[in-house]
Amino acid sequence: KYRFFGQDAEHASRVLGIYAHMDHNFLTASIPTFRLNVHVRRLVTAGYKVGVVKQTETAAIKAHGSNRSAPFERGLSALYTKATLEAAPDLGGAEDGCGGESNYLLCVVEKSVLDEKGGVDARIGIVAVEISTGDVVFGEFCDGFLRSALEAVVLNLSPAELLLGDPLSKQTEKVVLNEVLAAALYLTWFSVMEC
């Protein structure tokens, strides 16, 4: 079975309708391995990102290794989000209302630039990947104060998930957050580091 611990167990029990209980001072809940695909879809539909951690060493490897008395090693084996769920071969098609018309994962970064009149515009960079088909869309463009070009790109692609570079200007943030709220998209921030 797969187990949830702590706050994850609390969320899983509420979303999945499963029982959470205390086990050795840890709140825990579990699901059977053969129902993983169903429960992952339900959690992703509810707005969560789901990581699956599996045991990475076998008993035979452990018996001949230096850490015989230590717990079995475990590692992240899969990460599911709304954009990556449809590409997962072990989780099937678009059942349970999880699938959409677009599964683009859109990344947006920005750099401030001066326009011809001395005002500040933005140079926007985008990369969109449709995980299930392998389709990649990318581009770079200058955008005005209202960020109408960025808004057109986001509306046209209708991404399932957005990755946003940090820092973003207030104007860009406003356009992107309006789209996120309107479409209930997943939103992830990341820091952009200059080389």
Side-chain angles (χ1 to χ4, degrees):
K1 56 184 153 179
Y2 289 99
R3 296 180 72 183
F4 302 90
F5 296 96
Q7 209 172 28
D8 293 339
E10 188 178 320
H11 294 301
S13 68
R14 182 178 38 78
V15 172
L16 303 176
I18 60 177
Y19 178 68
H21 64 281
M22 293 301 287
D23 183 17
H24 301 299
N25 297 327
F26 287 103
L27 183 64
T28 184
S30 63
I31 57 172
T33 55
F34 67 90
R35 298 281 292 169
L36 178 67
N37 60 342
V38 173
H39 295 304
V40 165
R41 285 190 163 282
R42 289 176 64 195
L43 287 166
V44 169
T45 300
Y48 293 96
K49 296 175 186 173
V50 179
V52 177
V53 175
K54 291 185 178 178
Q55 187 172 300
T56 58
E57 64 181 348
T58 64
I61 292 172
K62 188 161 191 64
H64 297 293
S66 60
N67 65 343
R68 289 182 203 133
S69 60
F72 282 95
E73 290 184 17
R74 291 170 172 78
L76 184 66
S77 66
L79 180 62
Y80 302 105
T81 65
K82 190 174 180 185
T84 62
L85 188 64
E86 296 309 316
D90 55 339
L91 291 181
E95 303 91 24
D96 300 328
C98 291
E101 292 181 14
S102 168
N103 289 314
Y104 277 105
L105 174 63
L106 175 64
C107 178
V108 178
V109 293
E110 167 187 60
K111 185 173 185 178
S112 295
V113 294
L114 294 176
D115 65 9
E116 306 85 38
K117 299 174 188 171
V120 178
D121 277 344
R123 187 117 185 112
I124 308 280
I126 61 132
V127 175
V129 180
E130 215 295 355
I131 305 292
S132 59
T133 64
D135 187 28
V136 177
V137 177
F138 59 93
E140 182 179 355
F141 52 90
C142 280
D143 208 351
F145 181 78
L146 296 177
R147 304 297 189 261
S148 54
L150 176 61
E151 185 176 17
V153 167
V154 173
L155 288 172
N156 183 43
L157 292 174
S158 299
E161 188 170 351
L162 285 170
L163 297 171
L164 301 177
D166 188 21
L168 286 181
S169 67
K170 293 292 180 196
Q171 296 86 356
T172 300
E173 199 173 302
K174 182 178 176 183
V175 167
V176 172
L177 290 179
N178 283 341
E179 295 306 318
V180 167
L181 295 174
L185 300 174
Y186 286 125
L187 179 65
T188 304
W189 290 89
F190 67 93
S191 294
V192 177
M193 303 183 98
E194 290 193 31
C195 297

